[in-house]
Amino acid sequence: MNAPQSVGADSWTVAGRTFTSRLIVGTGKYKSFEENAAAVEASGAEIVTVAVRRVNIADPNQPMLTDYIDPKKVTYLPNTAGCFTADDAIRTLRLAREAGGWNLVKLEVLGEAKTLYPDMRETLRATEVLVKEGFEPMVYCVDDPIAAKQLEEAGAVAIMPLGAPIGSGLGIQNRVTIRLIVEGANVPVLVDAGVGTASDAAVAMELGCDGVLMNTAIAEAKDPVLMARAMKAAVEAGRMAYLSGRMGKRRYADPSSPLAGLI
């Protein structure tokens, strides 16, 4: 693979939509809509994920996220955060489609509240139903290459394995399985959940992921706008490092300058 002239020329496509930014950011936990909008701007993100059950995107009598983040300029990705059954997730996304006409969605069906790990049986069932109804689900899942392939076969348009538990900030805990998912997938793979700082985002990209989704890492930083800029740079750096083809690892030193012919 040849590296592009610039990161901006290196696009990716999901469900027929093409983007240049590989960073997706959330819209929760910010102190205000203004702060959220400033962070999105600083991140360069072209997609924001929105919890349908928590963020107002349809009631004009209340403050609306769409007043601060223009859906004509930024792609909204409705998600099913807070759903613990396939039926709840399906119902939530049907409401999102009625409210805003969204077909490209992020599906997550959680198993229980302590770990917020996905319930893969319910997730797979929801994926199958949503695909039949014309949705294009990007699906949050465990970092398991078998589960990832099952979701792809069910019609998921992107696979989104967790790096670590949601909101933990622990970074990618299992690089081996993330890499296996990337190698086996025919749809985009994006790390979703667990990123805490810029180096975590760079690792995800160095593993060959198509993108990274994060919320808490930016929203809970002491300076969210500055962290958003850091994440933008990290995703770009990690992507360039992946495209460049890193050096091999060696067990012993290898001098940069030849040792032969020394004076």
Side-chain angles (χ1 to χ4, degrees), residues 42-67:
S43 74
E46 297 168 305
I47 305 174
V48 295
T49 184
V50 180
V52 178
R53 303 178 74 181
R54 296 177 186 152
V55 176
N56 178 31
I57 53 176
D59 183 0
N61 296 316
Q62 300 293 328
M64 293 180 65
L65 181 66
T66 50
D67 292 334

PDB file of all heavy atoms in Angstrom, residues 42-67:
ATOM      1  N   ALA A  42     -12.664  21.438  16.811  1.00  0.00           N
ATOM      2  CA  ALA A  42     -11.228  21.240  17.002  1.00  0.00           C
ATOM      3  C   ALA A  42     -10.780  19.849  16.568  1.00  0.00           C
ATOM      4  O   ALA A  42      -9.649  19.661  16.120  1.00  0.00           O
ATOM      5  CB  ALA A  42     -10.863  21.475  18.465  1.00  0.00           C
ATOM      6  N   SER A  43     -11.664  18.872  16.698  1.00  0.00           N
ATOM      7  CA  SER A  43     -11.317  17.487  16.362  1.00  0.00           C
ATOM      8  C   SER A  43     -11.259  17.242  14.865  1.00  0.00           C
ATOM      9  O   SER A  43     -10.640  16.275  14.412  1.00  0.00           O
ATOM     10  CB  SER A  43     -12.341  16.523  16.975  1.00  0.00           C
ATOM     11  OG  SER A  43     -13.571  16.563  16.258  1.00  0.00           O
ATOM     12  N   GLY A  44     -11.934  18.081  14.106  1.00  0.00           N
ATOM     13  CA  GLY A  44     -12.026  17.867  12.665  1.00  0.00           C
ATOM     14  C   GLY A  44     -12.967  16.736  12.287  1.00  0.00           C
ATOM     15  O   GLY A  44     -13.038  16.340  11.117  1.00  0.00           O
ATOM     16  N   ALA A  45     -13.700  16.209  13.257  1.00  0.00           N
ATOM     17  CA  ALA A  45     -14.591  15.069  13.007  1.00  0.00           C
ATOM     18  C   ALA A  45     -15.697  15.447  12.026  1.00  0.00           C
ATOM     19  O   ALA A  45     -16.234  16.558  12.066  1.00  0.00           O
ATOM     20  CB  ALA A  45     -15.207  14.582  14.313  1.00  0.00           C
ATOM     21  N   GLU A  46     -16.026  14.498  11.165  1.00  0.00           N
ATOM     22  CA  GLU A  46     -17.115  14.681  10.208  1.00  0.00           C
ATOM     23  C   GLU A  46     -18.356  13.885  10.604  1.00  0.00           C
ATOM     24  O   GLU A  46     -19.393  13.990   9.959  1.00  0.00           O
ATOM     25  CB  GLU A  46     -16.658  14.245   8.818  1.00  0.00           C
ATOM     26  CG  GLU A  46     -15.518  15.092   8.274  1.00  0.00           C
ATOM     27  CD  GLU A  46     -14.890  14.477   7.025  1.00  0.00           C
ATOM     28  OE1 GLU A  46     -14.470  13.305   7.073  1.00  0.00           O
ATOM     29  OE2 GLU A  46     -14.830  15.189   6.010  1.00  0.00           O
ATOM     30  N   ILE A  47     -18.224  13.081  11.678  1.00  0.00           N
ATOM     31  CA  ILE A  47     -19.343  12.300  12.205  1.00  0.00           C
ATOM     32  C   ILE A  47     -19.406  12.518  13.709  1.00  0.00           C
ATOM     33  O   ILE A  47     -18.381  12.463  14.393  1.00  0.00           O
ATOM     34  CB  ILE A  47     -19.169  10.789  11.933  1.00  0.00           C
ATOM     35  CG1 ILE A  47     -18.966  10.500  10.451  1.00  0.00           C
ATOM     36  CG2 ILE A  47     -20.373  10.006  12.458  1.00  0.00           C
ATOM     37  CD1 ILE A  47     -18.647   9.037  10.155  1.00  0.00           C
ATOM     38  N   VAL A  48     -20.615  12.770  14.222  1.00  0.00           N
ATOM     39  CA  VAL A  48     -20.832  12.785  15.671  1.00  0.00           C
ATOM     40  C   VAL A  48     -21.894  11.743  16.006  1.00  0.00           C
ATOM     41  O   VAL A  48     -22.879  11.593  15.294  1.00  0.00           O
ATOM     42  CB  VAL A  48     -21.269  14.168  16.205  1.00  0.00           C
ATOM     43  CG1 VAL A  48     -20.163  15.186  16.020  1.00  0.00           C
ATOM     44  CG2 VAL A  48     -22.558  14.644  15.556  1.00  0.00           C
ATOM     45  N   THR A  49     -21.656  11.011  17.076  1.00  0.00           N
ATOM     46  CA  THR A  49     -22.634  10.021  17.493  1.00  0.00           C
ATOM     47  C   THR A  49     -23.507  10.606  18.595  1.00  0.00           C
ATOM     48  O   THR A  49     -23.015  11.320  19.474  1.00  0.00           O
ATOM     49  CB  THR A  49     -21.950   8.712  17.928  1.00  0.00           C
ATOM     50  OG1 THR A  49     -22.938   7.739  18.232  1.00  0.00           O
ATOM     51  CG2 THR A  49     -21.038   8.921  19.112  1.00  0.00           C
ATOM     52  N   VAL A  50     -24.792  10.332  18.506  1.00  0.00           N
ATOM     53  CA  VAL A  50     -25.786  10.985  19.362  1.00  0.00           C
ATOM     54  C   VAL A  50     -26.657   9.928  20.028  1.00  0.00           C
ATOM     55  O   VAL A  50     -27.241   9.080  19.346  1.00  0.00           O
ATOM     56  CB  VAL A  50     -26.678  11.939  18.529  1.00  0.00           C
ATOM     57  CG1 VAL A  50     -27.702  12.619  19.416  1.00  0.00           C
ATOM     58  CG2 VAL A  50     -25.829  12.961  17.790  1.00  0.00           C
ATOM     59  N   ALA A  51     -26.745   9.967  21.352  1.00  0.00           N
ATOM     60  CA  ALA A  51     -27.601   9.037  22.074  1.00  0.00           C
ATOM     61  C   ALA A  51     -29.056   9.484  21.930  1.00  0.00           C
ATOM     62  O   ALA A  51     -29.455  10.508  22.485  1.00  0.00           O
ATOM     63  CB  ALA A  51     -27.203   8.982  23.543  1.00  0.00           C
ATOM     64  N   VAL A  52     -29.817   8.730  21.185  1.00  0.00           N
ATOM     65  CA  VAL A  52     -31.202   9.109  20.885  1.00  0.00           C
ATOM     66  C   VAL A  52     -32.024   9.267  22.162  1.00  0.00           C
ATOM     67  O   VAL A  52     -32.886  10.141  22.263  1.00  0.00           O
ATOM     68  CB  VAL A  52     -31.852   8.052  19.963  1.00  0.00           C
ATOM     69  CG1 VAL A  52     -33.303   8.392  19.683  1.00  0.00           C
ATOM     70  CG2 VAL A  52     -31.074   7.939  18.662  1.00  0.00           C
ATOM     71  N   ARG A  53     -31.732   8.463  23.168  1.00  0.00           N
ATOM     72  CA  ARG A  53     -32.526   8.469  24.390  1.00  0.00           C
ATOM     73  C   ARG A  53     -32.120   9.581  25.353  1.00  0.00           C
ATOM     74  O   ARG A  53     -32.798   9.821  26.337  1.00  0.00           O
ATOM     75  CB  ARG A  53     -32.403   7.117  25.099  1.00  0.00           C
ATOM     76  CG  ARG A  53     -32.827   5.945  24.223  1.00  0.00           C
ATOM     77  CD  ARG A  53     -32.651   4.612  24.913  1.00  0.00           C
ATOM     78  NE  ARG A  53     -33.659   4.394  25.944  1.00  0.00           N
ATOM     79  CZ  ARG A  53     -33.728   3.304  26.716  1.00  0.00           C
ATOM     80  NH1 ARG A  53     -32.829   2.348  26.565  1.00  0.00           N
ATOM     81  NH2 ARG A  53     -34.668   3.178  27.615  1.00  0.00           N
ATOM     82  N   ARG A  54     -31.002  10.271  25.062  1.00  0.00           N
ATOM     83  CA  ARG A  54     -30.492  11.240  26.035  1.00  0.00           C
ATOM     84  C   ARG A  54     -30.334  12.654  25.488  1.00  0.00           C
ATOM     85  O   ARG A  54     -30.372  13.615  26.238  1.00  0.00           O
ATOM     86  CB  ARG A  54     -29.119  10.768  26.554  1.00  0.00           C
ATOM     87  CG  ARG A  54     -29.187   9.454  27.321  1.00  0.00           C
ATOM     88  CD  ARG A  54     -27.801   9.007  27.735  1.00  0.00           C
ATOM     89  NE  ARG A  54     -27.831   7.680  28.351  1.00  0.00           N
ATOM     90  CZ  ARG A  54     -26.842   6.820  28.329  1.00  0.00           C
ATOM     91  NH1 ARG A  54     -25.723   7.144  27.714  1.00  0.00           N
ATOM     92  NH2 ARG A  54     -26.943   5.635  28.907  1.00  0.00           N
ATOM     93  N   VAL A  55     -30.100  12.777  24.188  1.00  0.00           N
ATOM     94  CA  VAL A  55     -29.818  14.088  23.612  1.00  0.00           C
ATOM     95  C   VAL A  55     -30.997  14.542  22.763  1.00  0.00           C
ATOM     96  O   VAL A  55     -31.488  13.795  21.910  1.00  0.00           O
ATOM     97  CB  VAL A  55     -28.527  14.049  22.755  1.00  0.00           C
ATOM     98  CG1 VAL A  55     -28.293  15.390  22.072  1.00  0.00           C
ATOM     99  CG2 VAL A  55     -27.328  13.687  23.627  1.00  0.00           C
ATOM    100  N   ASN A  56     -31.442  15.755  22.977  1.00  0.00           N
ATOM    101  CA  ASN A  56     -32.590  16.273  22.235  1.00  0.00           C
ATOM    102  C   ASN A  56     -32.197  16.612  20.797  1.00  0.00           C
ATOM    103  O   ASN A  56     -31.371  17.485  20.552  1.00  0.00           O
ATOM    104  CB  ASN A  56     -33.140  17.527  22.930  1.00  0.00           C
ATOM    105  CG  ASN A  56     -34.301  18.136  22.163  1.00  0.00           C
ATOM    106  OD1 ASN A  56     -35.053  17.416  21.515  1.00  0.00           O
ATOM    107  ND2 ASN A  56     -34.447  19.435  22.237  1.00  0.00           N
ATOM    108  N   ILE A  57     -32.814  15.887  19.862  1.00  0.00           N
ATOM    109  CA  ILE A  57     -32.576  16.185  18.445  1.00  0.00           C
ATOM    110  C   ILE A  57     -33.890  16.437  17.700  1.00  0.00           C
ATOM    111  O   ILE A  57     -33.899  16.628  16.495  1.00  0.00           O
ATOM    112  CB  ILE A  57     -31.822  15.027  17.756  1.00  0.00           C
ATOM    113  CG1 ILE A  57     -32.530  13.697  17.992  1.00  0.00           C
ATOM    114  CG2 ILE A  57     -30.377  14.970  18.221  1.00  0.00           C
ATOM    115  CD1 ILE A  57     -31.903  12.520  17.273  1.00  0.00           C
ATOM    116  N   ALA A  58     -35.011  16.457  18.466  1.00  0.00           N
ATOM    117  CA  ALA A  58     -36.304  16.555  17.778  1.00  0.00           C
ATOM    118  C   ALA A  58     -37.290  17.535  18.399  1.00  0.00           C
ATOM    119  O   ALA A  58     -38.212  17.977  17.725  1.00  0.00           O
ATOM    120  CB  ALA A  58     -36.946  15.165  17.710  1.00  0.00           C
ATOM    121  N   ASP A  59     -37.126  17.909  19.673  1.00  0.00           N
ATOM    122  CA  ASP A  59     -38.102  18.774  20.341  1.00  0.00           C
ATOM    123  C   ASP A  59     -37.663  20.232  20.262  1.00  0.00           C
ATOM    124  O   ASP A  59     -36.759  20.657  20.988  1.00  0.00           O
ATOM    125  CB  ASP A  59     -38.262  18.359  21.804  1.00  0.00           C
ATOM    126  CG  ASP A  59     -39.312  19.185  22.537  1.00  0.00           C
ATOM    127  OD1 ASP A  59     -39.912  20.087  21.904  1.00  0.00           O
ATOM    128  OD2 ASP A  59     -39.542  18.927  23.729  1.00  0.00           O
ATOM    129  N   PRO A  60     -38.287  21.030  19.387  1.00  0.00           N
ATOM    130  CA  PRO A  60     -37.855  22.416  19.195  1.00  0.00           C
ATOM    131  C   PRO A  60     -38.130  23.322  20.393  1.00  0.00           C
ATOM    132  O   PRO A  60     -37.657  24.453  20.447  1.00  0.00           O
ATOM    133  CB  PRO A  60     -38.659  22.870  17.965  1.00  0.00           C
ATOM    134  CG  PRO A  60     -39.871  21.993  17.967  1.00  0.00           C
ATOM    135  CD  PRO A  60     -39.425  20.675  18.529  1.00  0.00           C
ATOM    136  N   ASN A  61     -38.899  22.827  21.358  1.00  0.00           N
ATOM    137  CA  ASN A  61     -39.198  23.625  22.549  1.00  0.00           C
ATOM    138  C   ASN A  61     -38.082  23.555  23.595  1.00  0.00           C
ATOM    139  O   ASN A  61     -38.120  24.289  24.587  1.00  0.00           O
ATOM    140  CB  ASN A  61     -40.520  23.162  23.175  1.00  0.00           C
ATOM    141  CG  ASN A  61     -41.698  23.394  22.245  1.00  0.00           C
ATOM    142  OD1 ASN A  61     -41.800  24.452  21.628  1.00  0.00           O
ATOM    143  ND2 ASN A  61     -42.574  22.397  22.129  1.00  0.00           N
ATOM    144  N   GLN A  62     -37.117  22.675  23.381  1.00  0.00           N
ATOM    145  CA  GLN A  62     -35.986  22.535  24.287  1.00  0.00           C
ATOM    146  C   GLN A  62     -34.694  22.854  23.522  1.00  0.00           C
ATOM    147  O   GLN A  62     -34.672  22.823  22.302  1.00  0.00           O
ATOM    148  CB  GLN A  62     -35.929  21.100  24.839  1.00  0.00           C
ATOM    149  CG  GLN A  62     -37.171  20.681  25.612  1.00  0.00           C
ATOM    150  CD  GLN A  62     -37.350  21.446  26.905  1.00  0.00           C
ATOM    151  OE1 GLN A  62     -36.372  21.829  27.540  1.00  0.00           O
ATOM    152  NE2 GLN A  62     -38.598  21.686  27.290  1.00  0.00           N
ATOM    153  N   PRO A  63     -33.615  23.177  24.267  1.00  0.00           N
ATOM    154  CA  PRO A  63     -32.338  23.395  23.570  1.00  0.00           C
ATOM    155  C   PRO A  63     -31.984  22.169  22.721  1.00  0.00           C
ATOM    156  O   PRO A  63     -32.075  21.033  23.186  1.00  0.00           O
ATOM    157  CB  PRO A  63     -31.340  23.585  24.716  1.00  0.00           C
ATOM    158  CG  PRO A  63     -32.164  24.064  25.866  1.00  0.00           C
ATOM    159  CD  PRO A  63     -33.495  23.378  25.720  1.00  0.00           C
ATOM    160  N   MET A  64     -31.603  22.402  21.481  1.00  0.00           N
ATOM    161  CA  MET A  64     -31.349  21.305  20.558  1.00  0.00           C
ATOM    162  C   MET A  64     -29.883  21.265  20.135  1.00  0.00           C
ATOM    163  O   MET A  64     -29.287  22.301  19.817  1.00  0.00           O
ATOM    164  CB  MET A  64     -32.232  21.426  19.315  1.00  0.00           C
ATOM    165  CG  MET A  64     -33.717  21.236  19.584  1.00  0.00           C
ATOM    166  SD  MET A  64     -34.712  21.379  18.064  1.00  0.00           S
ATOM    167  CE  MET A  64     -34.125  19.962  17.135  1.00  0.00           C
ATOM    168  N   LEU A  65     -29.333  20.073  20.117  1.00  0.00           N
ATOM    169  CA  LEU A  65     -27.950  19.898  19.679  1.00  0.00           C
ATOM    170  C   LEU A  65     -27.751  20.411  18.259  1.00  0.00           C
ATOM    171  O   LEU A  65     -26.707  20.971  17.925  1.00  0.00           O
ATOM    172  CB  LEU A  65     -27.580  18.413  19.756  1.00  0.00           C
ATOM    173  CG  LEU A  65     -26.149  18.042  19.356  1.00  0.00           C
ATOM    174  CD1 LEU A  65     -25.146  18.629  20.348  1.00  0.00           C
ATOM    175  CD2 LEU A  65     -25.988  16.529  19.275  1.00  0.00           C
ATOM    176  N   THR A  66     -28.772  20.253  17.434  1.00  0.00           N
ATOM    177  CA  THR A  66     -28.665  20.663  16.034  1.00  0.00           C
ATOM    178  C   THR A  66     -28.499  22.171  15.872  1.00  0.00           C
ATOM    179  O   THR A  66     -28.091  22.636  14.808  1.00  0.00           O
ATOM    180  CB  THR A  66     -29.896  20.191  15.241  1.00  0.00           C
ATOM    181  OG1 THR A  66     -31.088  20.582  15.936  1.00  0.00           O
ATOM    182  CG2 THR A  66     -29.894  18.683  15.080  1.00  0.00           C
ATOM    183  N   ASP A  67     -28.818  22.946  16.924  1.00  0.00           N
ATOM    184  CA  ASP A  67     -28.591  24.393  16.877  1.00  0.00           C
ATOM    185  C   ASP A  67     -27.110  24.733  17.011  1.00  0.00           C
ATOM    186  O   ASP A  67     -26.687  25.837  16.674  1.00  0.00           O
ATOM    187  CB  ASP A  67     -29.371  25.097  17.996  1.00  0.00           C
ATOM    188  CG  ASP A  67     -30.875  25.041  17.779  1.00  0.00           C
ATOM    189  OD1 ASP A  67     -31.306  24.923  16.612  1.00  0.00           O
ATOM    190  OD2 ASP A  67     -31.616  25.088  18.781  1.00  0.00           O
TER     191      ASP A  67
END
